[in-house]
Amino acid sequence: MVARDLLGRYLVRELPEGRIIARLVETEAYAGPHDRASHAFGGRRTPRNESMYLAGGRAYVYRIYGIHFCLNVVTGGEGEGIAVLLRGAEVIAGESLVRARRAGPIPTHRLLSGPGNLTRGLGVDVALDGAHLDQGELRLIFGEPLAAGTAGEIVVGPRVGCESAGDAATWPLRFAIGGHAAVSRPPVAFRFSASRGGYVPP
DNA sequence: GCGTAGATCGTCT
DNA sequence: GACGATCTACGCT
């Protein structure tokens, strides 16, 4: 599953002011026309979701709630409508550039935590919709996959905000690095503990 | 710490 | 005309 393989990989954002590097810690898969929670459900194509049907390796960016943007990586073949939502990342380099886009005293581990925060912190908007992610101002680096045991365990859970998607709501398509502080909401077993500074097992 | 409400607008019915 | 793959502030415990 590609969504799981994206964990631990790097997102590179080139801005006029400099470069931001982020490491993905939380993703969510949207499985195509048969997935009721997906914008591509039923094979629907509209001007908004058209880039979801591009060949893999492109970006699908859309606005939500009139306020936020969400960044997806198209992972299917051309015409399949399969993509992965990037829900959370950890800042590796360029933290000052991220903070410049996010007002207020925000803990480092929360700077790119959550789909809306990730796009805001990286300065991603619909201008990048359909962009190639192997070149240009936003790139995804396919380096070493996350090695089990070296960077935390991968945990799996139901997707967020898909409660009304019928049985698809319970599909285990959300992946995260277990216990990582930048995970927006802990899948299944993990819960947040401020006293212990992050997400902890029950 | 927890739950709830409000923001805000493009997109689709 | 309604609502959404969200976030934050705020009030209560």
Side-chain angles (χ1 to χ4, degrees), chain A residues 24-192:
Chain A
L24 298 175
V25 303
E26 186 182 1
T27 62
E28 239 172 41
Y30 286 85
H34 61 285
D35 181 355
R36 201 164 158 187
S38 172
H39 290 167
F41 177 62
R44 205 173 52 178
R45 293 177 86 130
T46 68
R48 177 180 67 157
N49 73 1
E50 188 60 32
S51 57
M52 248 185 133
Y53 292 92
L54 294 169
R58 308 286 282 270
Y60 168 43
V61 183
Y62 65 92
R63 180 191 295 270
I64 189 169
Y65 296 113
I67 311 173
H68 305 291
F69 295 103
C70 286
L71 169 62
N72 295 247
V73 178
V74 180
T75 61
E78 184 171 357
E80 289 190 319
I82 297 174
V84 174
L85 170 67
L86 306 185
R87 292 192 53 89
E90 164 189 25
V91 179
I92 300 297
E95 179 175 330
S96 63
L97 299 181
V98 177
R99 287 194 178 279
R101 294 171 178 276
R102 307 237 22 220
I106 303 170
T108 299
H109 69 272
R110 296 245 306 233
L111 284 172
L112 300 177
S113 179
N117 289 333
L118 187 147
T119 52
R120 194 187 321 168
L122 294 179
V124 169
D125 62 22
V126 290
L128 286 167
D129 186 40
H132 286 276
L133 293 174
D134 58 348
Q135 56 188 326
E137 42 190 298
L138 182 65
R139 301 193 302 277
L140 193 54
I141 306 297
F142 284 84
E144 294 291 314
L146 186 66
T150 60
E153 203 177 321
I154 293 175
V155 293
V156 183
R159 293 173 292 185
V160 176
C162 304
E163 291 78 12
S164 58
D167 41 299
T170 63
W171 294 356
L173 292 181
R174 184 156 65 108
F175 302 89
I177 296 179
H180 197 289
V183 174
S184 63
R185 296 191 227 179
V188 275
F190 285 76
R191 63 187 173 79
F192 185 77

Side-chain angles (χ1 to χ4, degrees), chain A residues 8-27:
Chain A
R9 301 226 157 125
Y10 297 91
L11 203 50
V12 180
R13 177 72 169 123
E14 304 284 1
L15 291 166
E17 315 91 88
R19 173 182 292 165
I20 301 168
I21 301 177
R23 179 169 168 265
L24 298 175
V25 303
E26 186 182 1
T27 62

